[in-house]
Amino acid sequence: DKMLSPKIEGRILDSLNLQGHEEILEVGTGSGYFTSVLAKLSKSVQSIEIEQELHEIAKANIKKLKLKNVHLINDAFNYSNFQEEQFDAIVISSSLPLINEALKKLLKVGGRLFIVVGSKNQMRATLVSRPPLDRGRTAPDCGTVATVL
C-alpha cells in the first residue's frame, strides 16, 4: 500500500468541508499524518488501523504532536464495532468494491463519507452525504453520492 499524495489529501479535506466541530472516523490510519491533519481541523478523530507496525508508528507520531483528540485503534474495521456511534465525517483510506449500507448508517444526518469505490481500472473517489431530514420524511435518507476527484 502506498500513501495518498498531499494533493489528493488536500482534495479530500476540501470535499469534507470540515468546520471544527466534527467527530470523525478514519479507516486506515497509516503513519498518522492524515489523522493528525484531521485532528487539527475537527473536534475528534477515531482512527482504526489493522497493521500493528503502522499503528505503532501512528501512535508515536500522534504523541509527538501532543494531539489529545485522537483515539487510535489497532484492529480490523468492522461496522458492528461502531454500531452505537455515528460520525460527522468518515474517511476510508482504501478502496471498496461498493459502498455498504451499514457504512452509510454510521453517518450522522448531514454527515459526509469519503471513499474510493471500484476495483482495478474502474475506481472513483466518492463523497456520500447524508442529507438532513425534510419535514415530510420520517427516516433519514442514507446518501447522496457525488464523484469528487
Side-chain angles (χ1 to χ4, degrees), residues 5-59:
S5 74
K7 181 179 178 180
I8 298 297
E9 288 177 335
R11 290 177 113 175
I12 294 169
L13 291 169
D14 190 46
S15 72
L16 290 173
N17 191 27
L18 299 174
Q19 303 297 308
H21 65 273
E22 294 87 359
E23 295 175 334
I24 298 176
L25 173 63
E26 178 189 34
V27 179
T29 312
S31 69
Y33 171 77
F34 196 61
T35 311
S36 63
V37 174
L38 290 170
K40 291 283 189 182
L41 297 173
S42 66
K43 179 181 174 185
S44 65
V45 178
Q46 285 190 59
S47 188
I48 187 164
E49 173 60 55
I50 193 169
E51 299 290 335
Q52 176 71 34
E53 186 178 345
L54 285 174
H55 173 75
E56 294 301 326
I57 291 168
K59 199 159 69 168

Side-chain angles (χ1 to χ4, degrees), residues 59-78:
K59 199 159 69 168
N61 288 336
I62 298 296
K63 186 177 180 178
K64 270 188 240 170
L65 294 170
K66 297 181 175 138
L67 296 171
K68 303 290 184 208
N69 62 338
V70 176
H71 176 65
L72 298 175
I73 303 162
N74 183 209
D75 203 352
F77 175 69
N78 187 323

Side-chain angles (χ1 to χ4, degrees), residues 33-133:
Y33 171 77
F34 196 61
T35 311
S36 63
V37 174
L38 290 170
K40 291 283 189 182
L41 297 173
S42 66
K43 179 181 174 185
S44 65
V45 178
Q46 285 190 59
S47 188
I48 187 164
E49 173 60 55
I50 193 169
E51 299 290 335
Q52 176 71 34
E53 186 178 345
L54 285 174
H55 173 75
E56 294 301 326
I57 291 168
K59 199 159 69 168
N61 288 336
I62 298 296
K63 186 177 180 178
K64 270 188 240 170
L65 294 170
K66 297 181 175 138
L67 296 171
K68 303 290 184 208
N69 62 338
V70 176
H71 176 65
L72 298 175
I73 303 162
N74 183 209
D75 203 352
F77 175 69
N78 187 323
Y79 309 107
S80 62
N81 292 349
F82 298 94
Q83 66 188 13
E84 300 300 317
E85 301 177 73
Q86 286 190 310
F87 300 90
D88 299 294
I90 300 172
V91 178
I92 308 291
S93 299
S94 60
S95 66
L96 293 175
L98 37 96
I99 303 170
N100 187 303
E101 288 301 311
L103 188 56
K104 292 179 188 178
K105 289 178 182 169
L106 294 178
L107 281 177
K108 290 180 182 176
V109 171
R112 295 161 310 283
L113 159 69
F114 176 85
I115 185 170
V116 176
V117 181
S119 57
K120 297 187 181 177
N121 297 335
Q122 300 293 317
M123 299 172 93
R124 65 190 181 287
T126 306
L127 185 69
V128 176
S129 21
R130 188 166 186 180
L133 287 173

